[in-house]
Amino acid sequence: DPAFQAQFASRPFRPDACRLKKDGGDIEAITGATISSRAVAEALRAAADVYTRHAEEIRRTGQSATP
């Protein structure tokens, strides 16, 4: 659903930025697909958490891989 996806586009990539309204956030779930919407939000939150914990290592690795 493009409208659902668009809600994530302007958000910072942080674990606390990906929560449905039903879970205390401000992202509107897809009507009739709350479980799927929640799964997407939780996957993005988990990815943001991993990135946040390893951001420095990721940056270092990316810099050393540049020719």
Side-chain angles (χ1 to χ4, degrees), residues 1-8 28:
D1 179 285
F4 178 70
Q5 292 174 348
Q7 295 178 87
F8 294 94
E28 193 66 53

Side-chain angles (χ1 to χ4, degrees), residues 19-40:
R19 292 203 184 278
L20 298 182
K21 285 186 177 182
K22 293 180 178 190
D23 298 328
D26 58 355
I27 296 171
E28 193 66 53
I30 298 172
T31 302
T34 301
I35 293 171
S36 297
S37 299
R38 186 172 284 133
V40 168

Side-chain angles (χ1 to χ4, degrees), residues 12-19 41 44-50 52:
F13 195 55
R14 294 189 330 249
D16 62 339
C18 300
R19 292 203 184 278
L44 287 170
R45 195 167 48 250
D49 180 54
V50 169
T52 300

Side-chain angles (χ1 to χ4, degrees), residues 46 53 56 59 67:
R53 287 187 284 125
E56 188 58 39
R59 283 190 211 102

